[in-house]
Amino acid sequence: MTKINFQYVLFHKIHHQDIAYAWNKHLQSRKELSEQEIIQIGYWYRSWLTFLNGQLKNKTIQREELINWATMHSRLLPEKLLTTFPSLSYSATKDVLVQIKHPYTDEMLMYHEKVLDVLRLINSKVVQSPIKADMNIESLLKLQHFSKLLIQLDGVDHMPTILTKAQENFGYQRVTFHSYNPWLNEFSGVYGSELHKVQMLKGKLEDEPVFAIKKPLFLEQPAPYINAIAIELLNISTIIFIPIKQNGQLFGWLTFDQCGMPFSYSEEEMQLLEEAGNLLGCYFSRTRSTQRLLHDLKLTDKDLAVLFLLAEGFSNKEMAELLVVSEYTIRDYIQKLQTVFNAKNRTQIIATAFRMAVLE
């Protein structure tokens, strides 16, 4: 069973994007769910996948951590969705296992059921109370429309369309996207109206406090927090900064403003835009550009398994035992990774894989 435990967490680490895609497909087919319920259970599932991805370091699902996660999250969903969640999760997991022809499909599904049984047990013990949505139905509908748009599109090539629709959906005259380079710790303007002006904006995070904070931020008066050149160039008055993050990875920021016109904000509006940033973070996480990159690099699931275990600090001996191969085979995989990433050692493999977004 230890072998299946490890294979289970490794499967989720390697194929989490495929599983999330299958989940969305099944979720959209559930006509009995309202738009608000789809949003609620979607947030819950993203947190679930994040939890599973983090279990690779343990080589198995730690029961205590699973119980703690379930206890903390079960109160976030009404009973109807708690009942729906296991069947959706099972269907998504099964779809991907069958699609990739996993050698332990039956055993993995049995183990998945045991994990879901723990969730069912915790859910049954938690005293349910009516969900008090923090956002009103109008805000939830805006998020749902934005989510549907992101499901239909894929890749950074569609960012101009996404920003245009975001302006219409959220009621702002200008929405721009600034990317983040973690290796240089820099931001740079990428997309938005008056593109030539937007792309002139770049710099170090330590020189621009609004970016260095990495949290949602409302500025009624942008000076002195924003560079005076940027204020004049884009005629910036009141502005909102929203970070785009997923699973701890920062992709960049969205800015919302009314092209020089001042405006007020509410806590609900900030929450709405923050959730929009989270959805966009999921969009970047699942983008096919990463899949194309993996295909171009010709990395197999076994290659990725060794890469992920390298990043978690496992030794060759530990990896050989977990993957049921010899240490000589592990050395061959590492040599291949060195060639693929043009790296001289294990550290360079990991650093380059992070830079190329193969690792998150």
Side-chain angles (χ1 to χ4, degrees):
M1 183 57 72
T2 301
K3 184 178 184 179
I4 295 302
N5 293 0
F6 173 70
Q7 290 291 338
Y8 181 80
V9 294
L10 183 62
F11 163 74
H12 278 87
K13 181 67 176 181
I14 293 176
H15 295 284
H16 66 276
Q17 293 181 10
D18 299 321
I19 299 169
Y21 183 81
W23 160 273
N24 279 325
K25 182 183 69 175
H26 284 285
L27 182 61
Q28 294 301 323
S29 70
R30 292 296 186 100
K31 303 302 182 184
E32 74 276 12
L33 298 180
S34 68
E35 293 184 337
Q36 180 177 350
E37 288 170 336
I38 288 175
I39 293 172
Q40 287 178 320
I41 200 170
Y43 295 155
W44 210 75
Y45 191 65
R46 287 196 294 275
S47 176
W48 170 242
L49 288 183
T50 299
F51 167 76
L52 292 179
N53 290 343
Q55 292 298 300
L56 182 62
K57 63 182 183 297
N58 299 324
K59 298 180 284 188
T60 184
I61 299 287
Q62 294 291 322
R63 184 177 177 84
E64 184 177 348
E65 292 185 19
L66 174 61
I67 292 173
N68 289 340
W69 184 92
T71 302
M72 181 176 66
H73 287 76
S74 290
R75 296 184 181 278
L76 301 179
L77 289 184
E79 186 174 356
K80 173 185 176 181
L81 297 185
L82 289 174
T83 304
T84 302
F85 179 85
S87 62
L88 281 172
S89 177
Y90 184 88
S91 297
T93 301
K94 181 178 180 180
D95 278 2
V96 179
L97 285 168
V98 172
Q99 178 186 349
I100 67 174
K101 298 180 180 178
H102 198 286
Y104 302 110
T105 294
D106 292 340
E107 295 92 336
M108 294 273 276
L109 288 174
M110 289 176 60
Y111 184 73
H112 187 59
E113 267 297 315
K114 290 183 178 180
V115 173
L116 292 177
D117 282 342
V118 175
L119 293 185
R120 293 186 185 101
L121 178 63
I122 299 301
N123 293 344
S124 67
K125 291 183 177 180
V126 172
V127 178
Q128 296 300 316
S129 58
I131 293 295
K132 298 179 179 179
D134 292 331
M135 291 183 285
N136 61 35
I137 189 62
E138 181 181 354
S139 295
L140 291 171
L141 287 174
K142 287 181 180 180
L143 274 181
Q144 179 65 12
H145 293 156
F146 190 58
S147 177
K148 286 183 177 179
L149 170 69
L150 297 181
I151 290 172
Q152 295 167 2
L153 302 178
D154 189 32
V156 294
D157 294 342
H158 289 106
M159 277 303 294
T161 300
I162 291 172
L163 296 184
T164 299
K165 294 297 183 181
Q167 290 174 187
E168 299 171 3
N169 191 53
F170 300 115
Y172 289 86
Q173 294 186 37
R174 180 167 53 200
V175 180
T176 60
F177 169 64
H178 298 75
S179 67
Y180 173 59
N181 184 327
W183 297 98
L184 299 177
N185 202 34
E186 291 180 347
F187 71 91
S188 57
V190 182
Y191 296 109
S193 57
E194 297 184 280
L195 185 62
H196 65 289
K197 293 183 180 180
V198 171
Q199 293 183 342
M200 292 173 64
L201 304 178
K202 59 182 63 179
K204 294 286 187 181
L205 258 63
E206 56 264 29
D207 297 330
E208 295 285 351
V210 291
F211 290 108
I213 292 175
K214 301 180 184 179
K215 293 182 179 180
L217 185 65
F218 171 84
L219 291 179
E220 187 173 7
Q221 297 292 335
Y225 307 103
I226 299 177
N227 189 295
I229 297 176
I231 295 175
E232 182 177 357
L233 190 65
L234 293 176
N235 185 28
I236 298 174
S237 178
T238 311
I239 190 169
I240 291 175
F241 287 81
I242 299 294
I244 302 171
K245 297 185 291 186
Q246 175 66 9
N247 295 339
Q249 181 179 3
L250 177 66
F251 296 99
W253 299 263
L254 289 180
T255 63
F256 298 81
D257 74 293
Q258 302 290 13
C259 293
M261 296 292 294
F263 59 92
S264 59
Y265 84 106
S266 65
E267 291 297 331
E268 180 167 329
E269 179 71 7
M270 287 293 284
Q271 183 183 0
L272 170 64
L273 297 182
E274 184 177 4
E275 293 297 351
N278 291 335
L279 287 175
L280 196 53
C282 295
Y283 173 82
F284 281 129
S285 294
R286 71 167 173 82
T287 181
R288 290 178 188 167
S289 59
T290 302
Q291 297 301 324
R292 288 198 297 268
L293 174 61
L294 295 179
H295 176 74
D296 292 341
L297 292 175
K298 295 181 173 58
L299 293 177
T300 67
D301 280 4
K302 276 290 180 67
D303 296 327
L304 289 172
V306 173
L307 177 61
F308 291 141
L309 292 173
L310 270 178
E312 293 290 347
F314 287 92
S315 68
N316 286 13
K317 182 179 180 180
E318 290 172 319
M319 286 189 282
E321 291 175 351
L322 290 168
L323 298 175
V324 196
V325 296
S326 70
E327 289 189 55
Y328 295 105
T329 301
I330 294 296
R331 290 172 191 166
D332 290 340
Y333 279 118
I334 294 176
Q335 286 179 357
K336 177 183 176 180
L337 291 174
Q338 285 181 252
T339 301
V340 167
F341 292 108
N342 192 25
K344 296 180 180 179
N345 52 46
R346 299 157 74 105
T347 302
Q348 286 189 5
I349 290 173
I350 297 169
T352 305
F354 270 111
R355 179 167 51 82
M356 297 176 70
V358 178
L359 289 172
E360 297 178 353

